[in-house]
Amino acid sequence: MSMENHGHHDHHEAHHDHHEHHEESFITKYVFSQDHKMIARQFLITATVMAVIGMLMSIIFRLQLAWPGEKFGFINWMLGDKWGKDGILDSNMYLALVTIHGTIMVFFLLTGGLSGTFSNLLIPYQIGARDMASGFMNMLSYWFFFVSSFILVASCYVEDGPASSGWTVYPPLSALPQAMPGSGLGTTLWLVSMTLFVVSALLGGLNYIITVLNLRTEGMSMRRLPLTIWAFLVTAVLGLLSFPVLVGAVVLLIMDRSLGTSFYLSDIYIGGQALHYTGGSPVLYQHLFWFLGHPEVYIIILPALGIASEVIAVNSRKPIFGYKAMVGSILTIGFLSFIVWGHHMFVTGMNPFLGSIFVFTTLLIAIPSAVKAFNYITTLWQGNIRFTPGMLFAIGLVSTFVSGGVTGIILADSTLDIPLHDTYFVVAHFHIVMGLSAVLGMFAGVYHWFPKMFLRMMNKKLGYLHFWLTFVCAYGVFFPQHFLGLAGVPRRYYTNTEFPLFDNLGDMNVMITWFAIVGALAQVLFLFNFFYSIFRGDRAPDNPWNSNTLEWTNGVGHNHGNWIGKLPVVHRWAYDYSKPGKEHDFVPQTVPLEDGEKDGGVTDDHH
Amino acid sequence: MKFLVYIAIALVITAVLYIARILELSAALRGEKQWVVNKRDTKLNARLMLIYFFAFMAFVAWQFYEYVPLMLPVAASDIGAEIDWLMNVNMVLIMIIFVLTNAVLFYFAYKYAQSDERKARFYPDNHKLELLWTVVPGIVLAVIIVFGISTWTKITTMPEKDYILIELYPKQFDWTARYAGDDNKLGHAEYKKITDLNPLGVDSVDQASWDDFLIRNEFHIPKGKTVLFQFRSRDVIHSAYFPHFRQQMNCVPGMNTSLYFAATITTDSMRMITGNKEYNYILLCNKICGASHYAMQMNIIVDEPADYEKWYNEKKNTTIFAMTKPVEQAPKEEKPMVTDSTKTDTTNHSGEKKPN
């Protein structure tokens, strides 16, 4: 299993950086660390905690949807009486739960958690850099993330409850405490938390971009970058260009709420009086929000796709099919993601002509997405697939990306969006294509790079059980929701029993909830495996997956500066798996090209 | 109940921990690495890939069998029929892509599971293949886009004449319908004029308002006649969702929006179709608007035109509009229905915000 460690070939002549000998205190090593590996682990563990909170919230509102009016005493016990008397969830708190669930999952797990963990871990490792361009900014990025997570969770405990107007916090609902209790202090805290989150995302993103562009080791040209790094790079660019717009939207909302401006508010009569706001437009907020919001879903999915590219290639023992097309589609998706936001607003009263432009641009995204899906599948073709838990999750990702992607074709079509807008069909669509795919991708990454993070291996059997239970429950929860949507059930309804139209759908909701409960329990397996393996797992060898990328060339252990001695030199692309004429079925990037050997997957029989 | 739940959760967690521990110990006894993928794992997972695919497809098929009868009945409007046709075409298309792509994915995962007897094929790219699956989706999407946008343009172009004008006015958490009356013009209304007696803030000075009347809980529309709905909102964003007519539009404070459709199936006929004597068309709020969002709805009754006339005349004469209505001055003569009602207008058909 162990192979020659190419990263160490100049070991004796290496000069050691002086700081490698520097003993770090507990505080600088584990708390205010500037080391990318530690920061990656901090992001991962914080995001795991947030994910558990977000998942528990979803279980609580699933219980309410399956058995409306049923008493669940643990709700009071866990959360206090304001969440519902006698264990019956309060309808305001139902909305609070869906809001905070969405916020946590979208921003804290799948943006902060996913990019924060894997961009931090893999960018310096896979490009052959000692660390991020700015370790200090990187540290700030994590701590802003931490504080913003803390504020968001704390907001659940304020008297009137947290923000409850949906994760998109549309004004006027979110701007007027008279409209719902959560729009008071809860929303103020949500807005503060989100602003800090954006600071974190920008500090991180700037760092990722600069590091990829400037700190690549000798020989690591852009054409040789692993697809993970391409995905992280484009993700960071998207974040850098779109998150500031969210801050703009948030600041204007704060001004409307606190200073009496009228950016988003006009012509409102509420609580027995006509408010002074005039001339604002709630739709302006939606434009600003979705200008971030749509790139945001690609900020979520691209890193997951990048991880899948790497995991699928390594475990198929094949080059990723169509490397250039994959890079091209990442770039195309990134570009298009900025000109499609209006498809969230087809029924807002936006000019219908504008709507048709957004139909056109949105449906274009299906092309690079299809290329990616087909390229993954072709990578499997005639491979020699090793079913590591990471590989299973990556295959699962391709399935959900396709299954959720095709319903996007329906929703992108403004005509078809009219009857489905804001129904459970949308919930099913985005949970499968973005939520599930990104979560499965994140799991793939955790299982695959766990040895780099914690120097030990995760248990494969628990991993298998975790995958199959999760994958069964994932479709079990979200596939039926398409039918709920086609039956006309709106999302964010506290219960569907208020009028007879949806009475025959009760059984479906019960089934979905059971899948959700089993799926949540399956995550206990993961948490156990994760924390157990950190301390008790088998020790990791240098290169457990026989992988080509640079992160496996520095030996086991966490060194400050990543490589003891000189940085590795790159001679080839990352995907020389099963290359004809080679002794092993993998050729690390540090192995020089032989005489006459061509790089980048060009073989002699090819031309 | 409470204790049972706690105990159940505790038991499940304990069981999981024990199973994990047993697995670990048994693996250690056999001297296996707990992470190296062996032949047994490969075989197991490869088979599960195939089994999963068939189980997944069976699950999907079962859902179609079980749930399609629970879906909304046939579209009850002209626009709805067009949308449903387009929806069905698109659904068939995406189901084909969905089944085929998943089939190939899981089959490859099964078929190319690790084996010592062969090596993976070094196959880094194939430009023809990639061109194929760039161009084919491109063409398919072009067709979808053309159909989609042409229908969209049609259903978002508001009718110029021959329609019945009704305002639907939402607030937390109910709807009020304002019929435009015999002049088919809605009188000017604004939020500053709202009082308890004038919940829509209708301007009594505007003559167009004199024959407007308000309906709550259940409103009627005739079959076969285009109805143009206009929306404002009193407090937050709501969305007027007509699932049976496949129409929807947000109601935004400070903006005027609108939609239209002509009902094609009366409530009585729909009750026959669904075999449910109490079946009702319904207007729902479909934009999160607060605690009772889920309960904000209104019944819609589609009548034969003659029945509608009867209902309309009855309501017109008996509904007391909040405004002091100078009955003797109310316009009686039939007027041609025109789009532009008043200078201060609530009839902005493009649905865009009027510059202030």
Side-chain angles (χ1 to χ4, degrees):
Chain A
M1 186 52 64
S2 78
M3 60 147 293
E4 191 192 350
N5 199 326
H6 296 272
H8 286 179
H9 59 290
D10 307 322
H11 193 262
H12 297 293
E13 40 198 83
H15 81 286
H16 289 246
D17 275 337
H18 66 280
H19 55 255
E20 282 174 23
H21 298 292
H22 184 69
E23 281 297 317
E24 301 213 51
S25 69
F26 180 83
I27 298 279
T28 57
K29 188 169 178 194
Y30 292 105
V31 185
F32 295 106
S33 172
Q34 299 190 20
D35 181 279
H36 73 102
K37 302 175 287 289
M38 180 56 71
I39 293 172
R41 282 175 283 171
Q42 290 175 325
F43 266 108
L44 180 60
I45 288 175
T46 312
T48 306
V49 172
M50 293 302 276
V52 169
I53 296 171
M55 190 181 69
L56 285 176
M57 288 179 159
S58 72
I59 296 298
I60 296 174
F61 62 69
R62 275 314 317 175
L63 288 176
Q64 158 64 22
L65 287 170
W67 298 285
E70 191 75 34
K71 293 178 182 178
F72 295 100
F74 72 92
I75 294 175
N76 301 60
W77 177 70
M78 277 169 58
L79 299 161
D81 281 339
K82 75 162 189 265
W83 292 80
K85 284 187 181 125
D86 309 324
I88 302 172
L89 187 65
D90 179 80
S91 69
N92 270 312
M93 290 305 131
Y94 173 85
L95 297 177
L97 286 176
V98 295
T99 302
I100 304 300
H101 164 80
T103 308
I104 286 179
M105 292 308 195
V106 167
F107 291 109
F108 291 86
L109 177 63
L110 296 177
T111 305
L114 185 55
S115 280
T117 305
F118 291 103
S119 296
N120 267 312
L121 181 74
L122 294 178
I123 288 177
Y125 265 153
Q126 290 196 333
I127 67 171
R130 300 238 177 251
D131 204 320
M132 283 289 176
S134 165
F136 181 70
M137 266 166 66
N138 213 16
M139 176 187 84
L140 284 182
S141 166
Y142 171 72
W143 283 101
F144 271 103
F145 175 72
F146 180 84
V147 172
S148 97
S149 308
F150 182 82
I151 292 174
L152 189 77
V153 174
S155 79
C156 297
Y157 293 90
V158 303
E159 191 179 351
D160 289 330
S164 313
S165 44
W167 77 278
T168 54
V169 290
Y170 281 1
L173 186 60
S174 62
L176 305 170
Q178 306 96 306
M180 70 188 328
S183 294
L185 182 58
T187 299
T188 304
L189 290 173
W190 190 95
L191 294 167
V192 171
S193 164
M194 213 30 67
T195 309
L196 296 176
F197 180 86
V198 173
V199 174
S200 158
L202 294 180
L203 287 167
L206 263 177
N207 232 334
Y208 306 151
I209 295 168
I210 294 165
T211 309
V212 173
L213 294 182
N214 286 338
L215 297 184
R216 279 167 291 128
T217 188
E218 188 186 336
M220 181 59 91
S221 63
M222 295 300 273
R223 284 160 182 271
R224 284 175 176 165
L225 276 187
L227 286 170
T228 35
I229 304 303
W230 268 110
F232 298 149
L233 173 65
V234 174
T235 301
V237 173
L238 296 188
L240 210 57
L241 295 177
S242 63
F243 270 121
V245 179
L246 178 69
V247 176
V250 161
V251 167
L252 297 188
L253 184 52
I254 290 172
M255 288 167 89
D256 274 8
R257 287 165 52 83
S258 306
L259 304 177
T261 55
S262 301
F263 290 106
Y264 305 134
L265 307 177
S266 188
D267 296 20
I268 292 167
Y269 182 95
I270 194 167
Q273 56 176 327
L275 304 185
H276 70 274
Y277 301 105
T278 180
S281 167
V283 177
L284 169 65
Y285 175 84
Q286 298 178 22
H287 279 294
L288 294 174
F289 182 86
W290 288 114
F291 187 84
L292 156 88
H294 203 79
E296 170 64 21
V297 308
Y298 293 97
I299 289 171
I300 286 173
I301 195 65
L302 284 178
L305 293 174
I307 288 169
S309 305
E310 180 67 18
V311 173
I312 287 178
V314 171
N315 290 298
S316 299
R317 315 308 296 160
K318 274 186 70 185
I320 189 81
F321 181 76
Y323 173 82
K324 279 182 196 157
M326 293 298 252
V327 173
S329 44
I330 292 173
L331 291 169
T332 313
I333 290 173
F335 170 72
L336 287 175
S337 74
F338 278 101
I339 50 171
V340 300
W341 78 89
H343 68 228
H344 296 271
M345 301 167 60
F346 287 141
V347 300
T348 54
M350 186 173 74
N351 187 318
F353 178 70
L354 200 51
S356 30
I357 306 273
F358 283 119
V359 173
F360 177 70
T361 53
T362 305
L363 283 170
L364 282 185
I365 287 201
I367 298 173
S369 307
V371 168
K372 288 196 85 74
F374 291 137
N375 282 10
Y376 288 132
I377 292 173
T378 315
T379 306
L380 296 178
W381 177 71
Q382 298 208 345
N384 203 9
I385 299 168
R386 180 176 56 196
F387 290 114
T388 62
M391 181 61 170
L392 292 175
F393 278 99
I395 293 171
L397 173 150
V398 178
S399 173
T400 54
F401 188 61
V402 171
S403 308
V406 291
T407 50
I409 295 175
I410 302 275
L411 292 170
D413 198 330
S414 53
T415 310
L416 305 179
D417 181 64
I418 295 171
L420 295 175
H421 192 91
D422 266 333
T423 67
Y424 269 87
F425 194 88
V426 178
V427 177
H429 161 69
F430 74 75
H431 273 98
I432 294 176
V433 75
M434 173 185 87
L436 290 184
S437 301
V439 168
L440 295 176
M442 190 165 174
F443 278 132
V446 172
Y447 280 102
H448 193 80
W449 281 289
F450 192 86
K452 276 328 285 186
M453 275 188 273
F454 298 102
L455 314 178
R456 289 172 186 268
M457 307 300 293
M458 288 180 80
N459 182 297
K460 67 176 177 190
K461 283 191 175 152
L462 284 176
Y464 293 154
L465 193 57
H466 172 224
F467 169 74
W468 287 109
L469 280 175
T470 304
F471 198 40
V472 166
C473 294
Y475 275 129
V477 169
F478 294 111
F479 206 91
Q481 295 188 6
H482 293 115
F483 291 94
L484 286 175
L486 290 167
V489 182
R491 66 194 285 203
R492 294 168 178 154
Y493 265 25
Y494 169 62
T495 167
N496 304 322
T497 54
E498 197 61 21
F499 41 85
L501 181 61
F502 304 131
D503 279 355
N504 53 6
L505 303 170
D507 290 348
M508 207 191 298
N509 269 319
V510 171
M511 182 182 77
I512 292 171
T513 298
W514 277 117
F515 273 118
I517 291 171
V518 177
L521 289 175
Q523 307 318 307
V524 177
L525 288 175
F526 170 75
L527 291 175
F528 172 78
N529 196 357
F530 182 80
F531 287 108
Y532 183 89
S533 303
I534 288 178
F535 301 105
R536 299 273 305 271
D538 286 345
R539 291 207 177 271
D542 289 359
N543 187 358
W545 316 122
N546 290 346
S547 188
N548 288 344
T549 37
L550 293 181
E551 75 270 28
W552 308 102
T553 62
N554 66 345
V556 172
H558 286 146
N559 323 309
H560 201 99
N562 291 346
W563 281 267
I564 295 168
K566 281 186 185 169
L567 287 172
V569 177
V570 168
H571 297 283
R572 57 178 73 231
W573 75 332
Y575 297 104
D576 274 340
Y577 291 104
S578 303
K579 197 170 190 181
K582 297 290 178 186
E583 186 188 349
H584 295 290
D585 68 351
F586 67 115
V587 188
Q589 287 187 276
T590 47
V591 175
L593 291 168
E594 287 168 32
D595 283 346
E597 187 185 0
K598 297 204 176 81
D599 187 25
V602 182
T603 46
D604 292 335
D605 60 329
H606 205 68
H607 285 285
Chain B
M1 182 66 200
K2 204 169 167 179
F3 279 112
L4 278 180
V5 173
Y6 295 150
I7 291 168
I9 291 173
L11 278 178
V12 169
I13 293 173
T14 323
V16 166
L17 291 180
Y18 267 96
I19 293 169
R21 185 79 190 126
I22 290 164
L23 286 175
E24 186 196 353
L25 286 174
S26 62
L29 277 178
R30 288 194 300 271
E32 286 176 3
K33 293 256 188 216
Q34 285 167 34
W35 59 274
V36 179
V37 181
N38 60 32
K39 281 182 180 163
R40 228 176 37 234
D41 302 327
T42 305
K43 208 165 152 186
L44 175 74
N45 283 299
R47 282 185 183 168
L48 282 174
M49 283 286 164
L50 210 55
I51 293 169
Y52 185 89
F53 172 71
F54 286 113
F56 181 29
M57 289 302 128
F59 180 56
V60 170
W62 174 80
Q63 289 177 75
F64 270 92
Y65 174 76
E66 199 71 7
Y67 296 152
V68 166
L70 311 182
M71 297 300 98
L72 289 168
V74 56
S77 72
D78 51 350
I79 285 174
E82 287 199 42
I83 291 181
D84 274 8
W85 179 82
L86 200 60
M87 181 76 83
N88 290 338
V89 172
N90 276 271
M91 279 290 180
V92 169
L93 185 79
I94 67 165
M95 282 307 290
I96 293 170
I97 304 171
F98 162 72
V99 174
L100 286 184
T101 316
N102 271 299
V104 174
L105 171 72
F106 287 107
Y107 177 70
F108 282 179
Y110 162 77
K111 165 100 178 165
Y112 298 108
Q114 195 171 38
S115 153
D116 297 339
E117 286 152 28
R118 43 184 193 86
K119 239 187 129 177
R121 178 167 171 187
F122 189 78
Y123 194 68
D125 56 12
N126 178 334
H127 295 307
K128 277 183 194 158
L129 212 54
E130 285 171 284
L131 198 64
L132 179 78
W133 57 57
T134 310
V135 171
V136 171
I139 293 169
V140 173
L141 287 167
V143 175
I144 291 177
I145 290 171
V146 168
F147 274 101
I149 293 182
S150 63
T151 315
W152 168 251
T153 309
K154 198 155 124 194
I155 62 187
T156 53
T157 308
M158 291 297 141
E160 303 258 312
K161 54 181 181 172
D162 290 337
Y163 57 79
I164 295 169
L165 183 61
I166 300 173
E167 179 182 48
L168 285 172
Y169 188 72
K171 69 174 176 54
Q172 291 178 326
F173 298 95
D174 58 38
W175 298 91
T176 305
R178 176 161 64 126
Y179 282 69
D182 292 344
D183 63 350
N184 209 32
K185 283 182 185 172
L186 287 164
H188 172 64
E190 62 170 314
Y191 73 111
K192 282 183 182 157
K193 294 194 161 39
I194 292 173
T195 61
D196 286 349
L197 292 174
N198 183 9
L200 272 60
V202 176
D203 185 352
S204 60
V205 176
D206 183 356
Q207 286 200 12
S209 75
W210 292 352
D211 61 350
D212 298 353
F213 62 90
L214 308 187
I215 298 289
R216 288 173 178 281
N217 303 325
E218 184 171 280
F219 68 99
H220 290 234
I221 55 173
K223 176 187 160 186
K225 176 103 181 165
T226 298
V227 183
L228 179 67
F229 291 98
Q230 292 201 345
F231 310 100
R232 293 177 292 143
S233 170
R234 176 153 140 177
D235 36 39
V236 301
I237 302 175
H238 302 272
S239 186
Y241 179 40
F242 302 83
H244 301 93
F245 307 99
R246 314 290 193 262
Q247 262 292 30
Q248 175 162 210
M249 182 51 71
N250 284 3
C251 315
V252 186
M255 263 175 81
N256 296 305
T257 54
S258 50
L259 63 75
Y260 78 97
F261 60 82
T264 51
I265 302 174
T266 63
T267 298
D268 284 340
S269 307
M270 188 52 90
R271 287 176 178 173
M272 304 267 280
I273 292 171
T274 56
N276 178 352
K277 283 180 190 152
E278 280 157 20
Y279 198 86
N280 268 325
Y281 295 128
I282 197 167
L283 164 71
L284 297 172
C285 177
N286 194 16
K287 183 59 80 184
I288 181 173
C289 65
S292 298
H293 170 52
Y294 66 98
M296 183 173 161
Q297 92 284 358
M298 196 178 188
N299 284 341
I300 308 166
I301 306 290
V302 178
D303 289 323
E304 292 293 348
D307 295 338
Y308 172 76
E309 281 303 313
K310 207 173 133 200
W311 175 86
Y312 172 84
N313 285 322
E314 186 189 317
K315 288 294 172 190
K316 182 176 70 175
N317 295 323
T318 56
T319 311
I320 300 165
F321 183 44
M323 311 309 308
T324 43
K325 179 175 167 186
V327 177
E328 66 282 4
Q329 289 179 22
K332 290 279 186 246
E333 77 278 24
E334 285 288 328
K335 281 184 187 171
M337 291 155 178
V338 273
T339 341
D340 184 16
S341 54
T342 62
K343 58 209 177 293
T344 35
D345 110 276
T346 49
T347 7
N348 187 341
H349 288 159
S350 70
E352 288 171 291
K353 182 159 171 51
K354 227 174 83 83
N356 284 330

